[in-house]
Amino acid sequence: MKLKKLTSLVLSGAMVLGMAFFAPSKADEVSKSYFDDMKSIATWSKDDSKVDLNLKLDLTALGDAYKEFSTNYNLKLNSTMDTDANIGKLNAKFSSSVTDSLGIPEVTLFFDKNDLYVNKDVFNLFMYSSGYNKTTNKDFVKMSFDKAFANAMGVDTDFYKEILEQNASKEISEKMYNYLSKIDLGIDFGLVKNGNTYKINWNSDKIVDVTNAYVKFIFKNPDFFLKMYKEVFGIDIIAEMKKTDSTMTEAKFKKSLNDALVEWTKEVEPMLPKVKKIIAGSSITLEENFGKEEYTQKFNFKLAVDLARVSEVFEGEKYTKPMVISATLSSNAVSKKMDKLDLTLPTNVESFDIAKFIKEEEARIQADIKKMEEEEKKLAEQGPVYDEEKPYKVTVTPATNELRVYYKGEEIAPALKLETKIVKGVLYIPTQMMEDEILMKVLDTAESYVPFKATMEKNGYKVSWDNKTKTSTAILNK
C-alpha cells in the first residue's frame, strides 16, 4: 500500500471514528441541526484557533513511587489557517512539572502547499536525537517535499499537496458530515440543544453503552463504510487491502467483520456489566457553541479505573475496598472566522533536502565500514612482530571501557579508560592506545581505530572472548 493511501486511510479513519463516537448519532431533528451547524463551520476558509489541552493523572493509589507523575500535563495549541491558499501556522507548547527538566522545545510550524517550515529548536533536537551531526543557526528550516523525498517515502510527488488539499476541502468535509448524520446507533445520546449550544453528559454506563453500540454498528455495516471511504475520500478499501493480501475480496472483508461481530457478542458483550463497575466514576461532558463567526468547545473526559475491581473480575480476588487511579483530559477550544489573516512564511530560513542528507549520511557510514574492513584485512596480511618488552596479557572490557595491561604477572594499576567501538561484531580500540599502551610501536595505518583481535593476533597473541565477564583477553604466545 503506498504511503499516500495508507496515510489517507489513517487520517480519515481517525477523524471519522473520533467524530462519529462523540457526534449525536441518532437520526432526529436535534442531531440534524447539529450536523448542519458543523457543516457551516467547515465552510470557513480563514480561521484562528486556540486549544488548551490538559491531562491530569491521579496515580496515588499505586503508592509513593508514582506520586510525582500524579500531576498536570498541559498542551497549548494555536493555529492560523487559510485553506483557500493552503497556508497555515501551528504553534504548540507542552509543559509539566515532570518533563520541564527535559527541555522540550516549543514547536512552531509553517506550511504551504509545497513546503514545511520547522523552527530551529525542534529541528536541532530532532537531528541530535536521530544521531545526525547537523544543526542550524537560522530561525527556521524549510524541508521541501521534492521528488527525491517523495520517491524515498514510496509516494508520488503530489503526496504532501494532496494531503493538505484533502484536509482543506470543504466538499470533503460536507460529504463526511452527511455520512455521519446518517449513522443511527439506536441509542439515545442525551444530546441537549439550547439555542446554538449543544451539550452531552455521559456517566460510565453511558460510555460503555455507546462504545458497544458503535463497535457493533461498524461490524454490522461494512457497506456503509466501504461506500463512505470511496465517495468521500476516493479510497477503495478492498483494492488497497489487495496490495498486501492478494486473496482479499469484498465477501472476505464482510465475513471478517461478521466473524468479529460474533466474537464481540460472545466474548466481550457479556463482560460489559463488569466493565461498568471497573470504570465507575468515569464521565464525558461536551459543550459546543456555534456562532456565525466563532465556535467554542468545552470537553472533559475522566477515565477512572478501580484496580481492585480489575483483580476481582480477572483474577478472582475478593473485593474489599476501591483502589482507583484516573486520567482526566480536558479541552477548551475557540475558533474564530477571519476575513483577513496576517500570515506570512518565515524568511530567515535554511533550506534542507532531507532525502539528500540521509543518502549522504548512509554513504558516509558505508565508507567508514569499508575502511575498517580494509584495515582489518591489511593487518591480517602483516606478519607477527615480537618484542621482549611487550606485555604478556592484555584485557579489554567494552561494557566498562576498561583496558588492563599485564607485565610479568603484574597488572598496571589503575585500569586505563578507552573508547571502544563494535562494528559488525568486531571490537575496535583507539590506534593510539594500541601503539602507546600495548604494542609500544607505530602501526602502519592512518585509521584512528584498529580491530583488537586481528591486531593482537598478528603481533603474537592468542585472543579469546569470555562471554560471562564480557571481556576480550589477549595472551602472548610463548
Side-chain angles (χ1 to χ4, degrees):
M1 185 184 295
K2 297 186 78 177
L3 182 58
K4 185 182 82 171
K5 292 296 186 183
L6 177 61
T7 305
S8 296
L9 281 168
V10 172
L11 292 179
S12 58
M15 181 166 51
V16 170
L17 290 174
M19 294 188 63
F21 184 80
F22 294 110
S25 299
K26 189 174 188 296
D28 56 23
E29 289 301 317
V30 177
S31 64
K32 181 180 182 301
S33 174
Y34 174 85
F35 282 109
D36 287 342
D37 285 337
M38 288 294 292
K39 285 187 280 187
S40 69
I41 298 297
T43 63
W44 293 357
S45 59
K46 298 178 180 65
D47 65 84
D48 184 83
S49 301
K50 300 184 187 308
V51 181
D52 190 349
L53 288 168
N54 192 74
L55 175 65
K56 182 179 180 180
L57 296 181
D58 183 357
L59 307 177
T60 53
L62 297 176
D64 292 339
Y66 295 87
K67 186 176 181 180
E68 65 172 312
F69 301 104
S70 296
T71 186
N72 293 311
Y73 302 82
N74 184 260
L75 179 63
K76 296 185 184 298
L77 294 170
N78 297 326
S79 64
T80 305
M81 305 284 290
D82 185 338
T83 55
D84 285 342
N86 272 334
I87 185 173
K89 176 184 178 182
L90 174 67
N91 178 266
K93 186 175 182 180
F94 180 80
S95 61
S96 171
S97 59
V98 175
T99 59
D100 284 347
S101 61
L102 300 178
I104 299 176
E106 187 172 333
V107 179
T108 303
L109 304 176
F110 286 87
F111 58 86
D112 60 14
K113 62 182 179 181
N114 295 314
D115 302 309
L116 174 69
Y117 298 77
V118 182
N119 64 309
K120 174 177 64 177
D121 291 341
V122 171
F123 177 82
N124 288 343
L125 177 62
F126 172 78
M127 298 306 289
Y128 174 79
S129 60
S130 299
Y132 295 125
N133 185 24
K134 168 65 180 174
T135 60
T136 184
N137 292 321
K138 298 290 187 178
D139 292 337
F140 285 84
V141 171
K142 182 174 77 170
M143 304 179 70
S144 298
F145 289 76
D146 57 14
K147 186 175 181 179
F149 176 76
N151 289 339
M153 294 292 289
V155 300
D156 60 69
T157 55
D158 291 326
F159 162 69
Y160 183 60
K161 179 180 178 181
E162 290 183 16
I163 290 297
L164 279 176
E165 289 177 347
Q166 185 182 87
N167 284 279
S169 172
K170 301 178 182 64
E171 181 183 358
I172 288 179
S173 296
E174 183 173 359
K175 286 181 179 179
M176 182 182 65
Y177 290 132
N178 286 337
Y179 264 93
L180 292 178
S181 66
K182 297 175 184 177
I183 295 178
D184 190 343
L185 300 183
I187 186 172
D188 183 7
F189 265 57
L191 179 67
V192 177
K193 179 184 178 184
N194 183 8
N196 293 325
T197 301
Y198 299 83
K199 294 182 179 180
I200 283 177
N201 191 343
W202 297 347
N203 59 17
S204 55
D205 287 358
K206 177 69 76 172
I207 293 173
V208 173
D209 291 339
V210 171
T211 302
N212 182 45
Y214 189 65
V215 170
K216 292 174 71 173
F217 180 87
I218 294 174
F219 292 156
K220 288 180 179 180
N221 297 277
D223 287 326
F224 179 90
F225 288 97
L226 290 174
K227 187 177 180 181
M228 182 193 70
Y229 269 98
K230 193 167 187 177
E231 294 188 0
V232 176
F233 302 104
I235 298 173
D236 186 335
I237 292 182
I238 303 302
E240 293 304 317
M241 288 183 173
K242 280 185 177 180
K243 294 177 181 178
T244 54
D245 181 1
S246 59
T247 66
M248 179 57 67
T249 62
E250 185 173 325
K252 183 177 179 180
F253 174 73
K254 291 180 178 179
K255 183 179 183 302
S256 67
L257 289 187
N258 184 69
D259 291 343
L261 174 63
V262 172
E263 190 72 13
W264 178 273
T265 304
K266 180 181 177 182
E267 301 294 336
V268 179
E269 208 165 21
M271 293 290 294
L272 296 185
K274 296 179 180 179
V275 173
K276 290 179 179 180
K277 288 184 177 181
I278 290 173
I279 68 167
S282 300
S283 64
I284 291 177
T285 60
L286 177 65
E287 179 180 321
E288 295 176 275
N289 180 269
F290 297 86
K292 290 184 178 180
E293 297 185 350
E294 182 176 282
Y295 164 81
T296 61
Q297 181 199 80
K298 295 180 180 179
F299 172 73
N300 191 83
F301 175 28
K302 178 181 180 180
L303 177 62
V305 178
D306 188 341
L307 300 179
R309 288 290 185 195
V310 174
S311 298
E312 178 191 39
V313 171
F314 296 102
E315 298 175 12
E317 295 184 8
K318 183 179 180 181
Y319 185 83
T320 54
K321 62 179 181 179
M323 183 181 177
V324 180
I325 60 174
S326 66
T328 303
L329 178 65
S330 59
S331 169
N332 285 288
V334 57
S335 183
K336 295 182 179 181
K337 181 181 180 182
M338 308 295 288
D339 295 324
K340 188 177 181 180
L341 291 174
D342 182 17
L343 188 58
T344 56
L345 297 175
T347 56
N348 185 27
V349 303
E350 175 184 344
S351 295
F352 183 67
D353 188 334
I354 188 170
K356 181 180 179 182
F357 178 82
I358 292 176
K359 184 177 180 180
E360 290 176 348
E361 283 293 298
E362 289 178 348
R364 182 186 63 79
I365 292 172
Q366 290 302 318
D368 288 344
I369 292 175
K370 185 177 180 181
K371 283 184 179 180
M372 289 183 178
E373 290 175 342
E374 290 175 349
E375 180 63 22
E376 184 174 354
K377 182 180 179 181
K378 185 177 180 181
L379 290 171
E381 294 172 352
Q382 297 178 3
V385 178
Y386 296 96
D387 191 326
E388 293 180 358
E389 298 300 323
K390 290 192 300 186
Y392 91 97
K393 183 171 77 169
V394 179
T395 65
V396 178
T397 307
T400 58
N401 281 329
E402 289 183 338
L403 168 69
R404 287 182 169 83
V405 184
Y406 299 83
Y407 285 93
K408 298 178 181 179
E410 296 294 330
E411 177 185 351
I412 292 180
L416 301 175
K417 287 291 185 179
L418 78 167
E419 293 293 330
T420 61
K421 288 183 179 181
I422 296 179
V423 180
K424 293 185 176 180
V426 177
L427 171 64
Y428 286 78
I429 71 170
T431 302
Q432 187 172 354
M433 187 72 75
M434 178 68 79
E435 293 175 338
D436 298 346
E437 305 295 341
I438 301 176
L439 297 179
M440 306 300 180
K441 58 175 282 189
V442 176
L443 299 176
D444 183 17
T445 177
E447 298 299 321
S448 57
Y449 278 78
V450 293
F452 179 73
K453 185 174 187 292
T455 305
M456 297 301 288
E457 286 180 344
K458 295 310 173 184
N459 281 276
Y461 287 82
K462 181 179 180 181
V463 182
S464 61
W465 173 260
D466 188 332
N467 196 48
K468 184 177 181 180
T469 62
K470 308 298 182 184
T471 297
S472 183
T473 301
I475 302 291
L476 183 62
N477 291 324
K478 295 182 179 180

